[in-house]
């Protein structure tokens, strides 16, 4: 075989490797981005107004043929006096039956979430970005009762009322919970995204509904699979305490459970 032939075969092999990488498919998903400019952080960034939805994740999965960790293992987990694997529970069927497109995508680990965000043109928000967007109002003319520059106790504002949390956030939380969540050992389940009142910076569900993965500043590439990454905001399974800024909750990167989802962030275009 000549050097020229070997070179051609090498080029063809590289080309085939590239075109067969599913995550390189271009995103057609339409995320609603909110611009955040905090003097405590270098530069501006944008963060998705809502948690990633089942419908958005479905577009990603179809375009890239991505299979989540929960799907590969046969189902995600829920806590019932100990972690229990639930066959068939995954992002498309968070409680074992098909979800509506406007429900938050859960049963996703860090790799699943970052793959989606990269496909959508961004990444998971850093922990500092998430906190800056969740607790301080940066809009120049926010609607009442929010005030520019004000730092709030909760992502919902001065009070946790209106969030999709357990017991402490008002009776509407149970009314909003999806019917498929009936029969849970604890809690009432998540609400469709955008059903709770908009909070700080016009963002939805930064407090409660589902925990959201964030990434450390240094996490630019896959690393130790056993590393613990921070989740923010609390969920429908908890009361108001996990909604506080100083609440620290870390989970192994490969955790795929019923109450952890995510939203994406990116640099402004």
């Amino acid at each position: 075989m000549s050097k020229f032939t070997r070179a051609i075969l090498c080029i063809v092999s590289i080309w085939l490797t590239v075109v067969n990488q599913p995550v390189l498919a271009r995103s057609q998903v339409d995320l609603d981005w909110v611009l955040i400019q905090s003097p405590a952080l270098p530069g501006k960034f944008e963060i998705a107004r809502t948690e990633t939805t089942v419908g958005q994740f479905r577009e990603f999965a179809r375009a890239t043929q991505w299979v989540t960790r929960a799907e590969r293992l046969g189902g995600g987990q829920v806590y019932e006096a100990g972690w229990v694997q639930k066959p068939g529970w995954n992002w498309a069927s968070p409680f074992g039956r098909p979800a509506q497109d406007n429900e938050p995508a859960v049963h996703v680990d860090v790799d699943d979430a970052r793959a989606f965000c990269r496909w959508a043109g961004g990444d998971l928000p850093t922990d500092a970005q998430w906190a800056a967007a969740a607790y301080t109002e940066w809009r120049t003319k926010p609607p009442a009762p929010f005030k520019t520059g004000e730092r709030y106790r909760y992502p919902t504002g001065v009070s946790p009322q209106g969030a999709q949390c357990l017991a402490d956030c008002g009776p509407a939380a149970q009314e909003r919970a999806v019917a498929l969540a009936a029969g849970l050992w604890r809690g009432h389940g998540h609400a469709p995204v955008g059903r709770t009142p908009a909070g700080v910076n016009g963002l939805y569900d930064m407090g409660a509904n589902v925990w959201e993965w964030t990434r450390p500043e240094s996490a630019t590439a896959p690393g130790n699979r056993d590393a613990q990454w921070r989740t923010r905001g609390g969920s429908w399974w908890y009361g108001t305490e996990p909604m506080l800024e100083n609440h620290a909750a870390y989970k192994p990167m490969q955790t795929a459970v019923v109450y952890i989802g995510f939203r994406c962030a990116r640099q402004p275009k």
Side-chain angles (χ1 to χ4, degrees), residues 98-227:
Q100 298 296 312
D101 279 354
N102 62 355
E103 292 180 42
V106 294
H107 296 293
V108 289
D109 70 3
V110 164
D111 289 341
D112 300 326
R114 296 192 81 186
F116 174 92
C117 289
R118 286 167 171 166
W119 175 75
D123 202 342
L124 288 175
T126 66
D127 187 67
Q129 286 174 335
W130 196 98
Y135 298 103
T136 303
E137 178 60 67
W138 301 112
R139 291 174 291 181
T140 55
K141 295 181 179 180
F146 298 104
K147 298 179 180 179
T148 304
E150 189 82 12
R151 194 174 190 87
Y152 291 94
R153 180 173 174 80
Y154 299 99
T156 46
V158 296
S159 164
Q161 293 298 302
Q164 188 69 13
C165 80
L166 181 62
D168 301 333
C169 295
Q174 185 172 353
E175 297 168 6
R176 284 188 298 259
V178 297
L180 294 179
L184 288 168
W185 181 76
R186 173 186 169 95
H188 308 295
H190 59 236
V193 304
R195 292 287 178 86
T196 61
V200 177
N201 293 308
L203 302 175
Y204 289 92
D205 299 314
M206 293 288 272
N209 208 31
V210 297
W211 289 100
E212 297 180 15
W213 287 113
T214 66
R215 64 183 171 92
E217 292 288 347
S218 59
T220 57
N224 178 8
R225 308 264 48 86
D226 295 323

Side-chain angles (χ1 to χ4, degrees), residues 7-180:
I8 292 297
L9 290 174
C10 181
I11 292 171
V12 171
S13 177
I14 293 172
W15 180 81
L16 288 172
T17 299
V18 170
V19 298
N20 282 304
Q21 292 297 315
V23 294
L24 295 181
R26 289 191 176 274
S27 168
Q28 300 299 317
V29 73
D30 184 23
L31 300 185
D32 184 5
W33 298 101
V34 175
L35 181 66
I36 302 293
Q37 185 171 11
S38 166
L41 298 176
K44 305 175 184 178
F45 69 94
E46 293 177 330
I47 191 166
R49 190 178 299 276
T50 69
E51 293 160 338
T52 300
T53 67
V54 166
Q56 292 165 345
F57 202 88
R58 180 177 289 110
E59 291 186 47
F60 160 70
R62 285 175 176 170
T64 66
Q65 304 302 305
W66 187 270
V67 179
T68 62
R69 176 177 174 81
E71 290 173 290
R72 295 194 303 272
L73 295 177
Q77 294 184 314
V78 65
Y79 194 86
E80 296 177 349
W83 287 111
V84 177
Q85 186 178 21
K86 293 289 191 176
W89 289 33
N90 54 52
W91 64 268
S93 300
F95 302 104
R97 287 180 286 174
Q100 298 296 312
D101 279 354
N102 62 355
E103 292 180 42
V106 294
H107 296 293
V108 289
D109 70 3
V110 164
D111 289 341
D112 300 326
R114 296 192 81 186
F116 174 92
C117 289
R118 286 167 171 166
W119 175 75
D123 202 342
L124 288 175
T126 66
D127 187 67
Q129 286 174 335
W130 196 98
Y135 298 103
T136 303
E137 178 60 67
W138 301 112
R139 291 174 291 181
T140 55
K141 295 181 179 180
F146 298 104
K147 298 179 180 179
T148 304
E150 189 82 12
R151 194 174 190 87
Y152 291 94
R153 180 173 174 80
Y154 299 99
T156 46
V158 296
S159 164
Q161 293 298 302
Q164 188 69 13
C165 80
L166 181 62
D168 301 333
C169 295
Q174 185 172 353
E175 297 168 6
R176 284 188 298 259
V178 297
L180 294 179

Side-chain angles (χ1 to χ4, degrees), residues 1-10:
M1 184 183 297
S2 68
K3 291 182 178 179
F4 176 78
T5 302
R6 286 197 297 268
I8 292 297
L9 290 174
C10 181

Side-chain angles (χ1 to χ4, degrees), residues 33 46 120-121 266-269:
W33 298 101
E46 293 177 330
R266 71 175 185 181
Q267 294 303 307
K269 292 185 176 181

